[in-house]
Amino acid sequence: MKGQFIIFFALFFLGCLTHLGAQTTIKGRVLDENDQTSLVNATIMLLQAKDSILVDHTRADENGKFNLTKPDTIPYLLIVSYPKYGDYYKRIDDDGDTDLSDVKLTSVSHLIEEVIVTGKIPVVIKGDTTEYDASSFVVEKNAKVEDLLKVLPGISVDADGKITAQGKTVEKVLVDGEEFFGDDPTLVTRNIRSDMVDKVQLYEKKSEETERTGVDDGQRIQTINVKLKEDAKKGMFGKVEGAGGTDDFYLGKLALNKFSGSQKIGAYLMGANDGNLSLNWQEAEKFGMSSMETGMTDGGDMYMVYSGDSFDYWDGKGRPEALSTGVSFLDAWKENKHKLNGSYKYGMVQNDVGESSLSRNSLPDNKELNTSSISNRETDARRHRFNTKYDLKIDSLTTLTINLSASKSKSESNSRTEASSWDENGDFVNSNERTESSISDNTDFNYRGYLTRRFKKTGRSVSFRFGGNVSDNKGSGFLNSTLDTLDNSGNVVSVPTDQQKEIDRQSNSITTSLTYTEPITSKLNSSIGYEYNMSRAHAINTSYNSDGEGNYTDFDEEFSSDFNFNTVRNAVNVAFNYKLEKFEANFTNNFRNDDMFQQNNYEDLNASRDFFTYNPSARLRYNLSSNKRIGFHYNHSNTLPSLSQIQPLRQNQDPLNIVVGNEGLTPARNDRYNMFYSNYNMMKGTNLYVDVEWRQTRNAIQQNVQIENGVRTLFYENLDGYVTNNGRIWFGGGFDVSKKIQLKARISGNGSYNNDYNYINGQLNENTNYDYSFGLNLSKNTTKNIDFNIGFHPGWRLLETSLQPELNSSGFVYRTNVWYSWKLPWKLSFYGDMTYNYEAPTKALNEKFELLLFKPGISKKFLKDESLVVDIYVNDIFNQNKGFRRFQSGSMISQNTYNTISRYFMLKVSWDFTSMKGGKE
């Protein structure tokens, strides 16, 4: 580790070195040549004369004056532009300060025929949009849009295709203003050739809510729009990939995209057992299969929710074998008045997971409960899923969107678990052996609608939302378990269980809301909305004991239940938005009433509760400049108790952990404070952000624990008299170490603090977690010679409980990641991906964790367009991969290990084919 720290600090100080050259200024005043009036906000751009790279830009002030910094003595080209005026050009060769005095622009209407402007402007700033002329920038033959973006000033692309523009991550890449098979930027950047591109536009896209209602919510998405040449708007592209390796590992993929104008069709088929369950998130976006949904909270914040599950991503456990296929269709007609997007997907995943866990539970009076377990679980899951979205522009002011989705799945599982517990002296407490098997069939249907109507008065609108869900889940299974515990005399007592279980759960819900917005002034806008939600659920769980002859006819009333659970919500939202050029403020008031009704059909008992809550929020943002901003957000919310907390279904699948509900639970009250600062300087290539958050919860709903003979009984109760606190800080910054070789550095760090309470055997226990980390990254991404990314991330983690401080778990953690790609002659390339993780041993768990993963490979490209690639790579060449996780839950500190994919050798052949038209053939 000593050598690693020497390298770490050497690289850190290297990254902090900057070159400072002599700087001079260029100043002047922009006027109308005809009437001599000042042209306020005229754009002034300074470009390097030799390659037209943008160096600096500014705008004229209220008097038409401007002042630019000239970094060195290289010749420059100065361009002054203003809408509906001819542009002004001047070459700057002087070493010293330059005073242009009055720069007079001529209105287009007064330009005479003899005035002819030749040549192209590489970069033009039009309002909030920066536009790049693609033909003004040189890239290699057969280059893609990604290669073009890398040479555009103010834009960078990392090894994964992530685009950063003006210090912000680009979340959306459009083609001619429309989505191109989804939101994934790499779909466009890695499939469309650069010679097909006419212009590249960079701007902050307003949210869909703003575009539909006309009320600016302040939300922006960094967006790139790629404008194609006229003859490049029709074609087909796709990928064929096949791989085989040692230990019977394989991967096969066939994907196809076809587009013609607005019509787009995508299809794919893949099978693998190397951890790829389906398309990755980029490919899912590409083929219209994304599981990402966006929305808006009551406080006006945008959120993104990934609804993927075991069919979409692998959690790293076991060795899954998967088959996945899908097709998507997108079209628009009648000048985009109608838009239809539909997809179908089928998935199959089989897996075998072996796990072991070890936990230490601190108890009062210096006692402990230690538990270890070993389990094996086999699963087989299959699912059909259908999604469709229809957009209708009823007229220029009215838009309707309808979403429909449905899924049908079936899963089977078989598991075996062995667990044992002992006390602080190592003496036996209990043990449990159990086997379980289950089969389940699930169907789910969702529908959503969104109707917006704008009025001629700016800021006045009406929005209506409606939606619902209908689901039906049925299942059956068997449980065979033996629990051994000690009686009061110290004798071992065995409790056997042999049961058949059946589950039938049905639910349906409806949600609807109506919102009206009205401008009070040109800067102040108000909105009022009403929301109604209704949910009905019916859950039947039945257990039957064996009669000893293989028949399950003895009804077990204790572990059977029949519940109806209904909820109704009525809410009113009143919000005010105040917006100036540099300052934005939003104040939202949410008044909510929730009625909850529960019926126990077996015991003919019912309970009803209603909660009225007030949930205010405030959001402030001040733009210090066009690339520097600061903000504050406060939100108060109430967390209602859930059905599983009020009345959990009795279960005996895990007899060592029993959950008991509480019908007297009341809502928890949450306060969240957040402040952020961001700053980006495109010309210097520097950026900085700081984000601080603090959360407090009063009357928290937590689990108190009673432990007897090693059996943990968990009670849900409100925490009275104590406040839980959670804090976190993120910060990061980047700068250029060397512009010549495009070497960039990034420094980052975060710290977290979590503090909560619960009762263990009637005694208050305080749990406190600290987590600190620091990061330094050096990267070079030029697609030439050697590209790399090196990251160093040391940290410290502390897990504390007040019951037995001497057993607190604290220790050093460290992570290093290295990625490289070395391009050689003859279309060869060496590449690799390496990570090193370390966790120090602690007092609670005296075992260090150390893992070095290295995946090297070599590839060669074939064919004239280099579309055929052959790869040979080794996964986990040192054969060290092992599943490991260490965590805290209340007073219990645990670690978990599991089987996963380790070393194998693989030969892969992939062909990216395209028939894209336009550009140079």
Side-chain angles (χ1 to χ4, degrees):
M1 295 301 294
K2 182 179 179 181
Q4 290 174 324
F5 273 110
I6 294 174
I7 296 173
F8 172 83
F9 283 108
L11 289 171
F12 174 77
F13 284 111
L14 173 64
C16 292
L17 295 177
T18 58
H19 172 74
L20 298 176
Q23 295 187 341
T24 57
T25 60
I26 304 172
K27 63 181 179 178
R29 183 185 180 200
V30 186
L31 303 174
D32 183 303
E33 185 181 45
N34 185 44
D35 59 16
Q36 303 297 305
T37 57
S38 300
L39 296 181
V40 182
N41 285 328
T43 300
I44 300 94
M45 296 177 290
L46 187 66
L47 287 72
Q48 292 183 167
K50 66 176 182 178
D51 53 17
S52 298
I53 297 298
L54 182 67
V55 176
D56 200 356
H57 79 281
T58 188
R59 292 186 182 276
D61 62 18
E62 63 273 11
N63 297 316
K65 295 181 179 180
F66 66 89
N67 193 310
L68 276 174
T69 299
K70 183 160 50 111
D72 48 42
T73 58
I74 299 175
Y76 290 103
L77 177 66
L78 184 77
I79 303 175
V80 181
S81 63
Y82 193 79
K84 298 183 180 181
Y85 281 75
D87 294 327
Y88 170 88
Y89 297 82
K90 183 173 179 61
R91 182 182 174 91
I92 308 293
D93 294 301
D94 298 335
D95 294 344
D97 294 337
T98 302
D99 187 352
L100 298 176
S101 187
D102 292 341
V103 177
K104 299 177 181 180
L105 302 185
T106 304
S107 171
V108 172
S109 61
H110 291 85
L111 286 175
I112 57 176
E113 294 181 1
E114 296 90 81
V115 179
I116 300 175
V117 179
T118 60
K120 296 182 178 180
I121 304 176
V123 183
V124 177
I125 299 175
K126 301 178 178 179
D128 295 330
T129 300
T130 302
E131 184 176 84
Y132 304 87
D133 180 79
S135 62
S136 299
F137 300 89
V138 179
V139 292
E140 293 183 338
K141 184 180 179 181
N142 299 318
K144 304 295 186 184
V145 168
E146 180 173 282
D147 303 305
L148 173 62
L149 295 179
K150 289 181 178 180
V151 300
L152 300 183
I155 298 178
S156 62
V157 186
D158 68 12
D160 296 323
K162 177 184 175 182
I163 307 169
T164 302
Q166 298 182 0
K168 300 176 184 177
T169 300
V170 174
E171 301 179 35
K172 188 181 288 289
V173 174
L174 306 177
V175 174
D176 290 326
E178 297 289 340
E179 289 187 359
F180 192 70
F181 290 102
D183 290 339
D184 173 31
T186 62
L187 170 62
V188 177
T189 60
R190 292 181 172 176
N191 286 285
I192 296 179
R193 295 201 314 271
S194 63
D195 55 27
M196 299 168 58
V197 179
D198 180 27
K199 307 285 185 185
V200 175
Q201 296 175 328
L202 171 66
Y203 60 94
E204 289 189 328
K205 188 178 185 297
K206 295 180 180 179
S207 68
E208 180 186 13
E209 194 82 9
T210 297
E211 293 178 346
R212 293 182 63 150
T213 64
V215 181
D216 194 345
D217 57 15
Q219 302 295 331
R220 298 290 186 270
I221 299 174
Q222 194 78 334
T223 302
I224 284 179
N225 180 38
V226 177
K227 298 184 69 174
L228 298 181
K229 299 174 182 177
E230 284 302 318
D231 57 350
K233 299 183 178 181
K234 183 177 181 179
M236 180 175 67
F237 64 91
K239 186 171 195 172
V240 179
E241 190 172 86
T246 58
D247 202 18
D248 298 324
F249 278 98
Y250 68 89
L251 167 68
K253 184 187 299 182
L254 171 62
L256 173 67
N257 269 334
K258 182 179 180 182
F259 70 99
S260 177
S262 62
Q263 186 182 88
K264 302 176 179 69
I265 300 174
Y268 81 97
L269 171 67
M270 73 163 291
N273 66 349
D274 64 346
N276 289 285
L277 302 191
S278 182
L279 301 176
N280 58 38
W281 72 267
Q282 296 100 331
E283 294 172 323
E285 290 283 357
K286 177 187 305 186
F287 294 98
M289 308 290 177
S290 175
S291 298
M292 191 73 72
E293 295 186 7
T294 60
M296 182 172 292
T297 67
D298 293 336
D301 285 335
M302 294 293 294
Y303 64 83
M304 300 179 69
V305 177
Y306 181 70
S307 57
D309 51 24
S310 59
F311 289 93
D312 296 300
Y313 66 90
W314 179 45
D315 61 4
K317 296 181 178 180
R319 179 177 163 174
E321 186 169 5
L323 173 68
S324 181
T325 184
V327 61
S328 68
F329 174 82
L330 172 65
D331 200 1
W333 59 96
K334 290 189 177 181
E335 298 180 346
N336 289 333
K337 181 178 180 180
H338 303 270
K339 284 185 180 181
L340 179 64
N341 189 352
S343 67
Y344 163 78
K345 182 178 179 181
Y346 170 76
M348 182 275 289
V349 180
Q350 296 175 326
N351 202 3
D352 187 352
V353 178
E355 293 186 78
S356 63
S357 64
L358 174 66
S359 64
R360 299 188 67 171
N361 205 143
S362 298
L363 305 179
D365 303 322
N366 293 320
K367 296 185 179 297
E368 295 178 26
L369 177 65
N370 304 291
T371 303
S372 68
S373 67
I374 300 175
S375 66
N376 182 264
R377 183 177 69 256
E378 298 177 354
T379 58
D380 185 342
R382 301 153 193 260
R383 184 180 64 183
H384 302 267
R385 187 172 65 187
F386 170 78
N387 290 283
T388 186
K389 178 182 177 182
Y390 173 66
D391 291 293
L392 171 63
K393 288 187 177 180
I394 300 173
D395 55 42
S396 61
L397 300 174
T398 312
T399 305
L400 173 66
T401 300
I402 296 176
N403 295 82
L404 300 175
S405 64
S407 67
K408 184 173 179 60
S409 62
K410 182 176 182 178
S411 63
E412 300 181 21
S413 70
N414 294 279
S415 67
R416 176 177 178 81
T417 302
E418 297 180 7
S420 61
S421 301
W422 62 96
D423 62 18
E424 65 279 1
N425 299 316
D427 296 331
F428 172 85
V429 175
N430 60 45
S431 65
N432 175 234
E433 294 186 11
R434 63 180 182 272
T435 58
E436 296 177 76
S437 63
S438 65
I439 300 176
S440 64
D441 289 281
N442 307 313
T443 59
D444 193 77
F445 176 71
N446 291 276
Y447 57 92
R448 298 195 311 272
Y450 181 29
L451 176 67
T452 56
R453 170 70 181 181
R454 299 173 60 180
F455 295 92
K456 293 183 178 179
K457 185 176 181 179
T458 303
R460 179 180 293 171
S461 69
V462 173
S463 303
F464 176 63
R465 296 179 185 269
F466 61 92
N469 167 268
V470 178
S471 65
D472 186 4
N473 305 320
K474 291 181 171 60
S476 62
F478 293 90
L479 169 65
N480 195 302
S481 172
T482 301
L483 174 64
D484 292 332
T485 60
L486 297 175
D487 61 16
N488 294 332
S489 301
N491 300 316
V492 176
V493 178
S494 295
V495 180
T497 301
D498 186 7
Q499 290 184 337
Q500 179 181 9
K501 295 180 178 292
E502 295 182 357
I503 299 173
D504 186 357
R505 299 176 183 174
Q506 299 175 340
S507 66
N508 67 81
S509 63
I510 296 174
T511 178
T512 178
S513 66
L514 181 66
T515 303
Y516 173 74
T517 64
E518 176 67 27
I520 299 175
T521 69
S522 60
K523 298 179 177 61
L524 179 62
N525 193 282
S526 65
S527 68
I528 184 169
Y530 168 73
E531 176 187 351
Y532 173 80
N533 294 335
M534 183 275 292
S535 174
R536 298 181 182 276
H538 186 196
I540 302 175
N541 292 263
T542 54
S543 299
Y544 296 91
N545 294 310
S546 172
D547 61 4
E549 299 180 358
N551 301 313
Y552 296 87
T553 56
D554 180 19
F555 179 72
D556 189 326
E557 184 175 351
E558 181 180 4
F559 294 105
S560 299
S561 59
D562 184 346
F563 279 97
N564 285 90
F565 189 71
N566 305 330
T567 62
V568 175
R569 172 178 296 176
N570 290 274
V572 174
N573 287 282
V574 179
F576 298 93
N577 291 280
Y578 184 70
K579 191 173 187 301
L580 299 175
E581 181 180 355
K582 291 189 174 183
F583 177 73
E584 299 175 21
N586 171 272
F587 301 95
T588 301
N589 300 274
N590 173 259
F591 305 89
R592 198 171 75 194
N593 188 81
D594 291 88
D595 292 305
M596 309 171 73
F597 175 81
Q598 180 178 278
Q599 173 73 37
N600 185 335
N601 296 311
Y602 279 158
E603 301 180 14
D604 195 23
L605 298 174
N606 63 72
S608 62
R609 286 160 299 281
D610 65 275
F611 303 105
F612 178 81
T613 57
Y614 173 51
N615 305 274
S617 70
R619 187 180 66 249
L620 308 174
R621 186 171 72 175
Y622 182 71
N623 300 318
L624 300 170
S625 65
S626 60
N627 56 6
K628 187 187 303 183
R629 61 186 56 178
I630 189 170
F632 170 78
H633 185 199
Y634 166 74
N635 176 261
H636 177 83
S637 62
N638 290 267
T639 304
L640 302 183
S642 64
L643 170 62
S644 61
Q645 293 170 335
I646 293 175
Q647 184 61 66
L649 305 177
R650 292 296 303 274
Q651 56 83 28
N652 56 349
Q653 281 89 338
D654 185 0
L656 298 180
N657 294 279
I658 300 173
V659 181
V660 177
N662 181 357
E663 295 183 358
L665 290 174
T666 57
R669 303 186 301 275
N670 313 293
D671 291 286
R672 172 178 171 261
Y673 309 86
N674 175 263
M675 290 188 66
F676 73 88
Y677 168 82
S678 64
N679 183 10
Y680 174 72
N681 189 315
M682 183 178 74
M683 305 311 149
K684 295 182 179 179
T686 61
N687 64 83
L688 172 69
Y689 74 88
V690 180
D691 198 302
V692 182
E693 181 176 282
W694 188 263
R695 295 174 180 261
Q696 291 185 315
T697 300
R698 293 171 174 80
N699 200 45
I701 300 173
Q702 92 285 346
Q703 284 185 333
N704 295 330
V705 183
Q706 188 72 33
I707 300 177
E708 185 176 355
N709 294 329
V711 177
R712 303 170 73 246
T713 303
L714 300 95
F715 302 86
Y716 285 107
E717 292 182 328
N718 289 104
L719 182 65
D720 185 25
Y722 295 91
V723 179
T724 66
N725 292 277
N726 301 276
R728 188 166 185 179
I729 179 172
W730 304 263
F731 68 87
F735 55 90
D736 291 326
V737 177
S738 172
K739 289 187 177 181
K740 183 177 181 179
I741 63 173
Q742 297 189 33
L743 179 63
K744 300 178 182 295
R746 180 166 187 82
I747 298 174
S748 62
N750 71 75
S752 65
Y753 166 80
N754 298 284
N755 174 254
D756 59 68
Y757 304 82
N758 71 328
Y759 286 89
I760 309 294
N761 286 356
Q763 184 170 329
L764 182 68
N765 174 52
E766 181 179 4
N767 307 299
T768 306
N769 299 347
Y770 299 90
D771 200 333
Y772 314 102
S773 66
F774 176 82
L776 171 65
N777 278 78
L778 292 173
S779 63
K780 175 179 174 288
N781 289 289
T782 61
T783 71
K784 296 180 181 179
N785 301 321
I786 298 179
D787 287 347
F788 61 86
N789 181 83
I790 304 175
F792 307 91
H793 306 273
W796 187 269
R797 184 182 301 154
L798 174 62
L799 311 177
E800 293 181 339
T801 66
S802 62
L803 290 180
Q804 295 190 45
E806 66 276 8
L807 295 180
N808 289 337
S809 176
S810 64
F812 177 73
V813 294
Y814 180 77
R815 176 171 59 88
T816 291
N817 59 278
V818 178
W819 169 89
Y820 66 88
S821 176
W822 184 15
K823 293 175 176 58
L824 300 171
W826 307 295
K827 300 180 181 179
L828 284 171
S829 178
F830 287 100
Y831 60 88
D833 193 351
M834 182 177 69
T835 59
Y836 171 76
N837 289 281
Y838 173 83
E839 290 192 27
T842 69
K843 294 179 181 178
L845 299 169
N846 190 23
E847 177 186 358
K848 76 172 182 179
F849 172 72
E850 195 170 17
L851 178 64
L852 175 64
L853 299 179
F854 183 35
K855 183 179 179 180
I858 180 173
S859 69
K860 179 173 174 57
K861 296 180 179 179
F862 297 89
L863 304 181
K864 182 179 179 181
D865 61 357
E866 303 181 355
S867 59
L868 182 65
V869 182
V870 176
D871 287 87
I872 299 176
Y873 61 88
V874 186
N875 182 74
D876 184 23
I877 192 171
F878 300 122
N879 201 31
Q880 290 193 9
N881 196 20
K882 54 185 176 182
F884 180 88
R885 189 167 74 99
R886 185 174 290 172
F887 58 96
Q888 178 181 12
S889 176
S891 64
M892 184 170 63
I893 299 174
S894 307
Q895 71 179 28
N896 173 246
T897 59
Y898 48 86
N899 67 317
T900 188
I901 295 175
S902 53
R903 181 170 60 195
Y904 64 85
F905 294 78
M906 186 79 90
L907 171 66
K908 183 174 72 172
V909 180
S910 58
W911 176 44
D912 288 300
F913 59 88
T914 180
S915 65
M916 306 280 252
K917 299 181 179 180
K920 304 170 187 174
E921 297 296 342

